[in-house]
Amino acid sequence: MANPNDQKILELKKQIELKKEKLSKSQKFTPITNCSIEIDGVRHNIQVLQKEQILTLLIKINTYVLSSKDLGLLDSFNINGYHVLDWIADLKLKYEILNRKEEEQKLKAMETKLDKLLSDDKKVELELDEIAALLN
């Protein structure tokens, strides 16, 4: 007799799969800058920064943007040879990618938990269906 929870588990796995597909369609990190920015005498490599470091850097650079706007200098404001808005764009994109990776890890963990919850009969049924599909 089939476990009544199997259907619910399979529905949840489908929802996870849909979310994973949406995440995989997200943008790849193609930087505008060289990813090496020096702020206050400290060099930062965007490629290796953690989320909190990226946020801190974004906030600091945004204060420069606001000040340069107030002074009417935004059009000519560069940091390390790149326009300040290019740095912000790269940092935002890197932050989004790190968020996406975190979400993918959470979805994988949920999927693993759901796999463990499936009844043995349902696991066998799914394996047989997969083999049958490969033979066709």
Side-chain angles (χ1 to χ4, degrees):
M1 185 162 139
N3 185 332
N5 290 324
D6 283 345
Q7 189 59 37
K8 179 72 171 171
I9 291 168
L10 292 175
E11 288 173 17
L12 290 171
K13 284 183 66 157
K14 284 180 186 174
Q15 289 177 14
I16 288 172
E17 198 58 41
L18 289 173
K19 284 188 174 197
K20 284 169 67 175
E21 283 179 29
K22 283 182 184 177
L23 288 176
S24 69
K25 293 177 184 176
S26 297
Q27 202 172 6
K28 304 288 183 227
F29 186 61
T30 50
I32 302 167
T33 67
N34 66 359
C35 296
S36 181
I37 184 171
E38 186 175 324
I39 300 288
D40 298 332
V42 178
R43 184 150 303 276
H44 304 274
N45 181 347
I46 293 173
Q47 299 281 14
V48 298
L49 294 178
Q50 301 298 315
K51 284 175 55 173
E52 291 174 11
Q53 295 168 312
I54 291 173
L55 282 177
T56 301
L57 207 49
L58 264 170
I59 290 167
K60 181 168 253 181
I61 293 172
N62 192 56
T63 60
Y64 294 163
V65 169
L66 295 174
S67 292
S68 64
K69 277 183 185 175
D70 288 347
L71 297 169
L73 302 172
L74 180 61
D75 292 339
S76 60
F77 184 40
N78 292 325
I79 299 175
N80 301 122
Y82 295 93
H83 194 271
V84 68
L85 296 178
D86 291 341
W87 287 111
I88 287 179
D90 278 358
L91 286 164
K92 281 183 171 181
L93 183 56
K94 186 64 178 181
Y95 185 78
E96 289 171 15
I97 287 171
L98 291 176
N99 278 337
R100 185 180 75 218
K101 285 182 182 178
E102 252 182 33
E103 184 68 20
E104 286 171 348
Q105 289 173 347
K106 287 177 186 175
L107 291 172
K108 282 181 186 178
M110 283 188 273
E111 196 170 33
T112 301
K113 284 181 183 180
L114 290 172
D115 284 338
K116 290 178 184 175
L117 293 173
L118 273 176
S119 68
D120 289 338
D121 289 341
K122 193 63 174 178
K123 287 178 186 177
V124 169
E125 180 186 331
L126 292 173
E127 285 293 323
L128 290 173
D129 289 347
E130 188 177 319
I131 292 169
L134 290 174
L135 292 173
N136 290 334

